[in-house]
Structures are given as structure tokens and as C-alpha cells.
Amino acid sequence: MTKVGYIGLGIMGSAMAANLLKKGFDLSVWNRTPERAGPLMKRGAVWVDRPADLASCVDVLCLNVTDTPDVESVLFGPGGVAEGARSGLVVLDHSTISPRATRGFAERLARNQVTLLDAPVTGGDVGAREGTLSIMVGGDAGAYESVLPVLKAVGRRITHVGPSGQGQLAKACNQILCALNLLGVCEAMALARKGGLNLSTLLDCTTAGAGGSWALEHLGPRIAAGDMEPGFMIDLITKDLAIVCEEGRLEELPLLGTRLVAELFEAAGRMGHGRAGTQALSRVIEALGRFRFQSDSGEGAGA
Amino acid sequence: MTKVGYIGLGIMGSAMAANLLKKGFDLSVWNRTPERAGPLMKRGAVWVDRPADLASCVDVLCLNVTDTPDVESVLFGPGGVAEGARSGLVVLDHSTISPRATRGFAERLARNQVTLLDAPVTGGDVGAREGTLSIMVGGDAGAYESVLPVLKAVGRRITHVGPSGQGQLAKACNQILCALNLLGVCEAMALARKGGLNLSTLLDCTTAGAGGSWALEHLGPRIAAGDMEPGFMIDLITKDLAIVCEEGRLEELPLLGTRLVAELFEAAGRMGHGRAGTQALSRVIEALGRFRFQSDSGEGAGA
């Protein structure tokens, strides 16, 4: 059986690593905060002291950290993957980071006969637990084929989208869609609320039509109910949109809508909603419009 | 059988009036440009010379004109509906106009014992032809019940959303959703295109996920293919968003995203795309980013 390593045991990584164990993979792990490896070790995962040591003893090494500098540090920092990687290793980076930094990392790793595949995911913590994530993979097609069993253990909709960095680019595009759809939901619901239109009625009569979106269907009701529990956190979409905006700048592409909504997500973070779900964008819209989505009586969707 | 009048025989009105004839309604019509009534008259509709005369001989009078001033003129201008309306007439306004102007019109008509229901539609020319429109109705609940057979002859998803003007408000909210979802589609596809990601691949791997929307599913492929045929025209969404922005201003609600995309639709109109489909918003994004969605070889979705 393929030996798999896992680095980055946050909410997403822990759930995905657990699915690898469930599917019978021989799993070794490393995490910056070792305590987080406990539950996986109880289920058979082996702790390894440094990313370099992990890279020397596995066939496929999964990364799931936060941002571009985190990936760089794990790969090329002291005791990092590049120090110990055996020839032929495939690194599967599930983090959401810069597309062009990814291409640079892939080139550097290739010098050690290591293949980097960018494989960012969507589908949230629920998708990670249930193994139903969507995964957009960029990089060498042969390496992609070789790690498909690993990908299929953690995801359902898996697409090889192009060469190195293109998985990250597809994810960046996906985040633009999520962000602007959600801004539409917030502004539409705000106008409804200000005008006294029942929010449930609005959702009922728009969700199935030409204004429909995943965001409207899944986050609209949460906004109406004042439920700010994170599926995906404000801090993380803010990070992702910073990557998107930087990519747009380097491509000389004005992304007016994306930059606007990125600013609004940042404002939500400054208001203290960084660890709330992305639907807390609604709190910024409320502040701008001096209103609340929930009536004083607490009836979220009330007229 | 209920006698129905129809005013406003544009693409939408003609198709909806034809469905009323099909369902056996006794139909009389008036239109600013009389020639457009020809096809309906061949199928049994009766021409009447003035809105006032139409209002004197029908039970339900449908309006389907363009903007708030057009509705006002047909209702209250010389020879207008108010001059001839018989007591008990229900006016069903399918136009997309100002919610608060609608409330004013309803109050003025009520003095003549005429009930105005605002009943804007979504679903485009296809929905109008096939009788599958969504209709959001505002106004008196009893009058709504009384005209349901007429509504069911032209639409499928019919919702009474609240008192007078709320149908228009729901439609305004719907247009916010459509506009911002489409901006997201354009910016996401632009970043993909600039970065060399295949547009079909992007659509394949995002449409079913958290970035998904009606706009992505239906307009994304048209943008990739360079197909700017109107389902719904730039000039009309520009008009609708002007209503939305004015409503936001009067409600003291900043609609930052909506105003941005409204400006971009206006720019599309000035570039000569006013009668193209809303997906011609992509032409503005191309101009901003100095690129084309279609490659020189004409392969729309090519890498």
C-alpha cells in the first residue's frame, strides 16, 4: 500500500488524514503543533519529528497548511521536505496559495526529483469529514494518475485542470465566484430587509431562478437566521482573496468587484468576525446601512 | 371567462398575451406601436383604440411596458387607464419599475376602485413563450387570488410576496443577485483566461460547487463561446439597476457592489452592447484587462 505522509493537521487536514487512515493507507504525520496529531495516532498514524524525515519515508506527502509562506517554510525551511525527500516523491499540496509561487516551488523541488502537485480543495469541513471534497489539481499528468487513489480517498469531484499552478488558479477563480455571489446575497437581502420584505419569502422566490447560487441557497438562510457559524472563515477567504488580488495585479487585470468584496471581508475581520463564517460579510453590510437582519424580537426571517 | 386586456406587446408581452389566448381568455389589446398587435389579432385578440377603452371593458388588465414613466403614462396620461377604468378592475403590472412609485400608483388607482398588483416576472423570453415565468406579486391578497388563473396561464412559479410594491422590491433584489453573480463569473473567467486556464475546465470544476450560480451555469459557457445573444438585454438590466440604486439611496442603504456593477453595465451600453445579452458585461472586463475571452483562432474555450 502507498505510504502517505501528512503535514498540516488543522480542521481540514485532520479530517482528510482520518479518511486516508480509514481507506487503509499507511500514514505518518507531522504538525507544527504536535498535540493535534493525538487523535490520528490513536487510530494508527505514526508521528515523525521533522518534515524532512517524513519526506524520506513516504511515497506521497500531503500538505495542508494556511498560506504561501507556510508552504515555503515546510518545503524549504530547516528540516523541511527538500532536505530529506527521496527521489520520486510526490508532494500533494492541498493548501490554497499563490499560483505563481506554486510554480516556483515545483521547479525547485524538481531539482531533487520531487514532483509537486497543487491540489487545493473546496467543500469545507463537512466535505473534508465526509470525503466529498472537490479537488482541482495542477501539475504533471503522470504524477496525477499515480496519486489518484490518495485523492479519491479524500475527495469526490477530482479534476486535473492543467500544468503546475493551474489548480491554484482554478481555486482562485472559485473564490472570486464565492465572494461576489455572497456580496450579491448580502446586498439583495439588505434591500429586502430595509424595504420590509420577508427574507424567507425573498429566498423562496429567488433561489430557483436566474438570481440563484450556492451562496444564496446555503448562506442566505444563515444570514436570515443570524447564524454566523463558520463553514469557511472570514480570515481564510480574506487570505484567499489577497492571493487573487495579487494574481490579478501581476496579470494586469483590474478585478474591481473582487477588490471591493476583499475590502469588505477585511472590514469584517477588523470588526471581530475573523473566525466567523463568510456569511458574516452581512455584518459589514448591516454596519454600512445602519440596520440589523434580525428584528428586535429575534425573528430572523420575520417581515 | 374572465375578459383580459393587454398593454405592452414587446417580446415578453406578446409571448405572454399569446399564452392567454391559448388558455382561452377573451383578449383585447392596445400597444403604442399598433403593428405589433397584428399576430395576436390573427389569433383572435381584439384591438382597442385607447388604454381607457380597454380599462372599461375587461376584468383584468395586464401591463408590460418598460419603465416607471411608461407605466405612469399608460395609467394616468390622456386616454389612460384611470380615465376609463370600471370599478373592480384589477391591473396586473408585469413591468419592472420602482417599488415606491408602484405604491403611489396603487393608491391613486384605489380612488377609482381599481386594484393595482405589481407582478414583475423573471425567466426571460424563453419563459414567456413557454409559460414558465416566475412571478413575484405585491398587493391585495384577495385581488391576487382572483387573478391567479391569469397568472397561471403565463407563469409557473407564482408567489404573493407582500403588500403593494413588494413584488417590485423582490424583483429589484433578484436583479442585484443576477448582476453580482454575473460580475463574479466575468472576473473569475478573466483571471482564468489571463492565467491560461482552459475556460471549459474552469466551468466544469466550479459550477457544481460553492462558487456555483445560475449565471455561471448559463452565461459562463456563452462568454467562453463569445455568444452575446440576448436572453436579457444590457439596456434592460441597466434600467433595472437604476431602479435598485435609487431604492437603495432612498432607504439610505449603501449598495457598493450593485453600484459598481451598474456602472459597468452602463459602460457596456456605451460601448455599443446595449441590445446584447447581459453576458456582454464580459466585453467591459476584456476592455479593462486588455484581453479577449476568445483566442485568435476562434476557439472560445481553448487554453
Side-chain angles (χ1 to χ4, degrees):
Chain A
M1 194 68 177
T2 310
K3 295 176 78 172
V4 180
Y6 217 104
I7 293 177
L9 303 174
I11 292 171
M12 298 295 287
S14 291
M16 291 164 73
N19 281 330
L20 289 169
L21 279 175
K22 243 183 250 167
K23 292 286 161 71
F25 286 100
D26 180 351
L27 191 75
S28 306
V29 301
W30 180 85
N31 194 54
R32 199 167 48 183
T33 313
E35 294 74 40
R36 300 213 56 153
L40 289 165
M41 289 166 71
K42 278 186 198 140
R43 298 164 74 173
V46 174
W47 174 263
V48 173
D49 278 331
R50 304 182 313 154
D53 301 331
L54 203 52
S56 69
C57 72
V58 297
D59 306 300
V60 180
L61 178 51
C62 303
L63 295 191
N64 213 326
V65 296
T66 304
D67 206 349
T68 310
D70 308 309
V71 172
E72 182 163 31
S73 156
V74 163
L75 292 179
F76 304 108
V81 169
E83 275 185 20
R86 70 190 208 188
S87 173
L89 175 68
V90 177
V91 177
L92 204 47
D93 181 16
H94 293 303
S95 323
T96 294
I97 68 166
S98 156
R100 65 189 67 211
T102 290
R103 286 196 294 275
F105 297 161
E107 283 163 21
R108 287 164 73 183
L109 286 174
R111 292 175 211 148
N112 301 9
Q113 280 72 55
V114 172
T115 304
L116 175 65
L117 298 177
D118 42 313
V121 305
T122 67
D125 53 342
V126 176
R129 278 197 304 277
E130 297 178 354
T132 58
L133 295 168
S134 291
I135 313 182
M136 304 160 191
V137 187
D140 181 74
Y144 168 76
E145 293 295 335
S146 76
V147 300
L148 257 180
V150 174
L151 290 167
K152 285 182 175 166
V154 297
R156 182 175 291 167
R157 197 182 172 88
I158 299 155
T159 316
H160 183 237
V161 299
S164 181
Q166 298 293 60
Q168 294 295 352
L169 188 63
K171 177 73 187 280
C173 296
N174 186 72
Q175 301 308 75
I176 292 177
L177 295 166
C178 293
L180 279 168
N181 292 353
L182 179 55
L183 181 60
V185 172
C186 288
E187 293 197 357
M189 291 180 70
L191 186 63
R193 180 80 184 142
K194 277 274 192 174
L197 180 63
N198 184 291
L199 295 180
S200 296
T201 304
L202 175 70
L203 297 176
D204 284 348
C205 72
T206 54
T207 300
S213 65
W214 185 97
L216 185 67
E217 186 176 350
H218 292 88
L219 302 179
R222 293 195 188 188
I223 292 169
D227 171 7
M228 297 295 135
E229 280 301 301
F232 187 63
M233 287 193 298
I234 290 275
D235 279 347
L236 289 176
I237 194 144
T238 301
K239 184 267 294 180
D240 291 356
L241 292 179
I243 291 167
V244 170
C245 290
E246 174 66 0
E247 196 65 21
R249 189 183 69 79
L250 292 166
E251 293 284 7
E252 302 188 349
L253 177 69
L255 292 170
L256 302 177
T258 305
R259 283 181 184 276
L260 169 63
V261 69
E263 289 279 0
L264 297 174
F265 279 120
E266 281 189 49
R270 281 182 227 112
M271 285 179 189
H273 303 301
R275 300 185 69 80
T278 53
Q279 70 273 23
L281 180 64
S282 61
R283 297 301 191 206
V284 181
I285 304 301
E286 286 178 333
L288 280 166
R290 299 175 303 131
F291 74 101
R292 293 300 301 265
F293 279 107
Q294 285 71 50
S295 61
D296 292 337
S297 68
E299 288 175 65
Chain B
M1 193 71 176
T2 310
K3 295 176 77 173
V4 180
Y6 217 104
I7 293 177
L9 303 174
I11 291 172
M12 298 294 286
S14 290
M16 292 164 72
N19 280 329
L20 290 170
L21 279 175
K22 243 183 251 169
K23 292 285 162 73
F25 286 101
D26 180 351
L27 190 76
S28 306
V29 301
W30 180 86
N31 195 53
R32 199 167 47 184
T33 312
E35 294 73 40
R36 301 213 55 152
L40 289 165
M41 289 166 69
K42 277 186 198 141
R43 298 164 75 171
V46 174
W47 174 263
V48 173
D49 278 331
R50 304 183 314 154
D53 301 330
L54 203 52
S56 70
C57 72
V58 297
D59 306 302
V60 180
L61 178 52
C62 303
L63 295 191
N64 213 325
V65 296
T66 305
D67 207 350
T68 311
D70 307 309
V71 172
E72 182 164 30
S73 158
V74 163
L75 292 179
F76 304 109
V81 169
E83 275 185 18
R86 69 191 210 190
S87 173
L89 175 69
V90 177
V91 177
L92 203 47
D93 182 16
H94 293 304
S95 324
T96 294
I97 67 166
S98 156
R100 64 189 67 210
T102 290
R103 287 196 293 276
F105 297 160
E107 283 164 20
R108 287 163 73 183
L109 286 175
R111 292 176 211 148
N112 301 10
Q113 280 73 55
V114 172
T115 304
L116 175 66
L117 298 176
D118 43 312
V121 305
T122 68
D125 51 343
V126 175
R129 277 197 304 276
E130 296 177 355
T132 58
L133 295 168
S134 292
I135 313 181
M136 305 159 189
V137 187
D140 181 75
Y144 167 75
E145 294 295 334
S146 76
V147 300
L148 257 180
V150 174
L151 290 166
K152 284 181 176 167
V154 297
R156 183 175 291 164
R157 198 181 171 88
I158 299 155
T159 316
H160 183 237
V161 298
S164 182
Q166 298 293 60
Q168 295 295 352
L169 188 64
K171 177 72 187 281
C173 296
N174 185 72
Q175 301 308 74
I176 292 176
L177 295 166
C178 292
L180 279 168
N181 292 352
L182 179 55
L183 181 60
V185 172
C186 288
E187 293 196 358
M189 291 180 70
L191 186 64
R193 178 82 184 141
K194 277 274 194 176
L197 179 64
N198 184 290
L199 295 180
S200 295
T201 305
L202 175 70
L203 297 176
D204 284 349
C205 73
T206 53
T207 300
S213 65
W214 185 97
L216 185 67
E217 186 178 350
H218 292 87
L219 302 180
R222 293 193 188 191
I223 292 169
D227 171 7
M228 297 295 135
E229 281 300 301
F232 187 63
M233 288 192 299
I234 291 275
D235 280 347
L236 289 177
I237 194 144
T238 300
K239 182 267 294 182
D240 291 356
L241 292 178
I243 292 167
V244 169
C245 290
E246 173 67 1
E247 196 65 22
R249 191 183 68 78
L250 292 166
E251 293 285 7
E252 302 187 351
L253 177 68
L255 293 169
L256 302 177
T258 304
R259 282 180 186 276
L260 169 63
V261 70
E263 289 279 359
L264 296 174
F265 278 121
E266 281 188 50
R270 280 182 227 112
M271 285 179 189
H273 303 301
R275 300 184 70 78
T278 52
Q279 70 273 24
L281 179 65
S282 60
R283 298 300 190 205
V284 182
I285 304 302
E286 287 178 333
L288 279 167
R290 298 175 303 130
F291 74 102
R292 293 300 301 265
F293 280 107
Q294 285 72 50
S295 61
D296 292 337
S297 68
E299 288 174 66

